[in-house]
Amino acid sequence: MQDGKYGCNFCMNGPNQYRNEDSCCFSRCPKHKNIILECGCKPQDAIFEIDDGCVEDDQKFVLNRVTVDTTCLSKPVVKIEFSSIIFFEAEDDSGSEHEVEVDLLFKLIRTCNGVEECIQSWRYLKEFEIENSIDELEVEISEPFTVTYCDNPCPGCCEYKMKVKGKDFDGDFEAMRVIKPDLSALAQGKCDY
């Protein structure tokens, strides 16, 4: 039977389902899917310790964490969104070549049923090199750092944490920070019909 409003035929499965040009049935009023939105808790700025201009080695910080309970979702998909601001101030005034470098490693850690694993990592690398007769190189940077990631965990309660670790620094630092960390998660089941 033809429906003039939608320009397609009724399916045999019921009056609210239609057949498109490819003979596929679809619902005019698809069932609402459950969507879970969770915001991070306990955000912490990463303020790196600096000793006489040198950023101290092996500093690690948990920037934010979010817990997502997908128990009621079938084949859950979780989208993680993270944003922050990376700020540093450094200089190099020795020698004929000047260099300032910041190398950070961000890790997304998932803990489900007591099992912790790194599911994704991102590198932030900013490097300035000058090879000329200037007396000194001064750098002050404040810029956003954002990442997204889609995860397919088993149904259950999982915690996601974003961590940052300082890998390498060159220059005489006045400040090195990762501030305003924000972590959030959206979850939906693939088969929730």
Side-chain angles (χ1 to χ4, degrees):
M1 172 186 280
Q2 181 80 20
D3 182 344
K5 183 176 179 182
Y6 292 97
C8 46
N9 299 317
F10 284 114
C11 284
M12 298 304 290
N13 297 347
N16 285 331
Q17 289 194 337
Y18 293 88
R19 187 179 306 277
N20 65 13
E21 297 165 354
D22 299 325
S23 296
C24 294
C25 291
F26 66 95
S27 176
R28 179 174 68 177
C29 300
K31 185 178 176 184
H32 172 73
K33 288 189 176 185
N34 291 329
I35 296 175
I36 298 169
L37 170 63
E38 295 290 347
C39 295
C41 61
K42 301 181 183 176
Q44 297 290 318
D45 292 343
I47 301 174
F48 288 80
E49 292 290 326
I50 297 170
D51 183 18
D52 196 26
C54 295
V55 179
E56 293 185 8
D57 293 336
D58 297 322
Q59 294 185 70
K60 302 174 189 175
F61 301 89
V62 176
L63 295 168
N64 207 340
R65 61 186 75 220
V66 64
T67 301
V68 183
D69 187 353
T70 60
T71 305
C72 297
L73 301 178
S74 177
K75 294 189 179 179
V77 177
V78 178
K79 183 178 183 185
I80 300 292
E81 296 184 348
F82 172 77
S83 65
S84 64
I85 295 174
I86 296 175
F87 172 81
F88 63 92
E89 186 177 352
E91 63 181 31
D92 184 4
D93 59 2
S94 60
S96 59
E97 298 178 2
H98 303 289
E99 179 179 11
V100 169
E101 179 183 327
V102 171
D103 190 357
L104 302 173
L105 182 64
F106 289 82
K107 290 184 177 182
L108 180 61
I109 308 296
R110 178 184 66 203
T111 305
C112 298
N113 300 317
V115 178
E116 181 177 290
E117 64 178 310
C118 176
I119 55 174
Q120 183 68 12
S121 62
W122 297 268
R123 185 177 180 198
Y124 172 89
L125 177 63
K126 189 69 77 169
E127 188 174 24
F128 301 89
E129 288 185 43
I130 304 290
E131 297 181 14
N132 63 18
S133 59
I134 66 170
D135 291 333
E136 84 180 318
L137 170 65
E138 293 183 6
V139 177
E140 185 174 334
I141 296 288
S142 179
E143 64 183 355
F145 177 80
T146 62
V147 293
T148 61
Y149 181 77
C150 281
D151 188 30
N152 296 326
C154 293
C157 194
C158 296
E159 181 187 58
Y160 294 87
K161 289 187 281 193
M162 185 62 79
K163 295 183 175 182
V164 65
K165 176 183 178 181
K167 296 209 28 110
D168 192 27
F169 302 95
D170 282 323
D172 186 8
F173 281 81
E174 190 70 32
M176 177 66 240
R177 303 181 192 117
V178 180
I179 58 174
K180 300 190 183 298
D182 184 65
L183 186 66
S184 61
L186 280 171
Q188 181 176 340
K190 285 183 184 176
C191 299
D192 294 335
Y193 297 109

